[in-house]
Amino acid sequence: MRRVLPAVCLFFLSPIVGEMLLGATSIDAIGLIPMMALLYGGGTLLIREVVRRTRRGWCSILLLGAAYALLEEGLLDQMIFNGHYSGNYDMVHVTYVPFLGTGVFGLLSVLAVHGVWSVTVPIALMEGMVPDRADEPWLGRAGLAVTAALFGLGIVIVGGGTYSDTHFMAPWPELAGTAAAIVLLVVAVFRIRRPGPGRADRNAPRPLVAGAASLVLTSAFMIVLQANWWGVGAALAVAVVALALGLYWSRARGWGRPHVFALAAGATLTYVWDGFGQTPDEGSGGAINLAGHVLLAVASAVFLYVAAKRVRKRSGAERLGSGTA
């Protein structure tokens, strides 16, 4: 059990970050987390295991996270095609593009929310908690089979349950296009080069600088992303800057796990403050929701503090061992 404990924790951490820390699920609906974990946690854990087993990097995780976003919101609950999916928002008809069959605002929202926060951030956080095992697989064949089965069960529950509730089915061209996009993203994962150590003639910034930049840029993304073309354009610009800066820094000398964890920590803190202003889709609002989010904010701070100490300790030991050698 101790060997697979990080995998079990990641299984539940993904929906906790993706739903509860975001503010979409209130604390009194925490009983839904095990069911949400079937899809969220199962998908995230499978993505992490595939990437680590094939020795690929964070770009691969982001691409597979985007594929997961399209699977959940495009093929299963079909939120990006159903304007009546929620009474709180309509992601289809604002910034609508006929060729896509949906709005750019909704598409950009789900790609960011799931690709970054539901998948990539939880993986980086959990690997920060166990830095000595961050680069190795956490599951054996039996664990992979169980995870795949749970993920498949999540697909059935979300897809079948949503259709039973909404009786909505998107037109086949939209579904076929979404499926094709998912396949292309998966293919791209295995076409990009495996990451290597930074060799550029420059030094990586301090992890604190990387974390601060992550907090500023992810916060800016959340603030400027509005349901209009100006907001979408501004959010896309912020996303491009963030990706370009991350690629630029990752190729510098000295870039390592402390920097990756710092990026995830900054993005986590953005969810902490942004969640206070969200109206939950599941559970109660008002004082109960506020108290629950305060509790989550405190728990997040403790988690980040403990993981940061472990990452720093592991990094120091690796530098000492390298210097001794």
Side-chain angles (χ1 to χ4, degrees):
M1 185 61 191
R2 182 179 180 183
R3 186 174 65 85
V4 300
L5 186 59
V8 174
C9 292
L10 178 59
F11 184 78
F12 291 103
L13 183 63
S14 176
I16 289 174
V17 173
E19 285 287 328
M20 297 190 71
L21 197 60
L22 171 63
T25 299
S26 184
I27 191 69
D28 61 336
I30 194 172
L32 295 174
I33 290 299
M35 185 179 67
M36 293 177 177
L38 295 174
L39 191 66
Y40 275 85
T44 299
L45 187 52
L46 287 176
I47 287 172
R48 194 253 169 209
E49 290 298 298
V50 167
V51 171
R52 293 295 172 245
R53 286 171 179 272
T54 57
R55 304 225 175 254
R56 299 183 181 275
W58 292 100
C59 287
S60 296
I61 290 176
L62 281 170
L63 289 173
L64 289 175
Y68 169 87
L70 293 178
L71 172 67
E72 178 179 340
E73 310 291 11
L75 296 184
L76 298 181
D77 65 29
Q78 301 183 25
M79 182 178 70
I80 61 174
F81 301 121
N82 184 1
H84 302 288
Y85 179 84
S86 171
N88 296 330
Y89 44 79
D90 175 5
M91 290 189 169
V92 180
H93 299 107
V94 293
T95 63
Y96 182 77
V97 176
F99 172 74
L100 298 175
T102 186
V104 180
F105 167 74
L107 189 59
L108 182 59
S109 297
V110 300
L111 288 174
V113 165
H114 289 306
V116 176
W117 278 280
S118 297
V119 174
T120 306
V121 167
I123 291 174
L125 293 179
M126 200 61 238
E127 289 187 347
M129 190 61 78
V130 288
D132 55 323
R133 299 186 56 202
D135 296 322
E136 65 184 53
W138 292 341
L139 298 174
R141 291 182 179 179
L144 282 174
V146 170
T147 303
L150 293 174
F151 183 55
L153 179 60
I155 288 175
V156 172
I157 290 175
V158 173
T162 303
Y163 181 76
S164 177
D165 290 340
T166 64
H167 299 288
F168 174 85
M169 183 63 65
W172 73 263
E174 278 83 351
L175 297 177
T178 302
I182 292 172
V183 171
L184 289 175
L185 287 168
V186 174
V187 170
V189 167
F190 297 98
R191 297 291 295 177
I192 60 178
R193 292 189 302 173
R194 289 182 173 88
R199 296 188 178 89
D201 189 21
R202 60 180 182 273
N203 293 322
R206 295 177 60 190
L208 185 60
V209 173
S214 173
L215 174 59
V216 169
L217 288 171
T218 53
S219 295
F221 179 89
M222 288 296 187
I223 292 170
V224 303
L225 181 59
Q226 304 293 326
N228 54 62
W229 283 109
W230 289 106
V232 167
L236 280 172
V238 172
V240 169
V241 170
L243 289 173
L245 187 61
L247 288 173
Y248 178 80
W249 278 345
S250 66
R251 293 169 181 168
R253 289 192 305 264
W255 181 268
R257 190 162 310 283
H259 299 86
V260 173
F261 177 77
L263 294 180
T268 301
L269 292 176
T270 292
Y271 253 25
V272 168
W273 72 256
D274 186 61
F276 280 103
Q278 299 296 324
T279 300
D281 295 322
E282 302 289 346
S284 304
I288 293 177
N289 183 51
L290 177 60
H293 203 73
V294 169
L295 181 62
L296 281 171
V298 173
S300 298
V302 173
F303 186 103
L304 294 178
Y305 175 76
V306 173
K309 288 188 65 176
R310 294 187 176 187
V311 169
R312 189 162 53 245
K313 182 179 179 180
R314 177 67 178 180
S315 179
E318 290 175 347
R319 286 197 303 268
L320 182 61
S322 177
T324 302

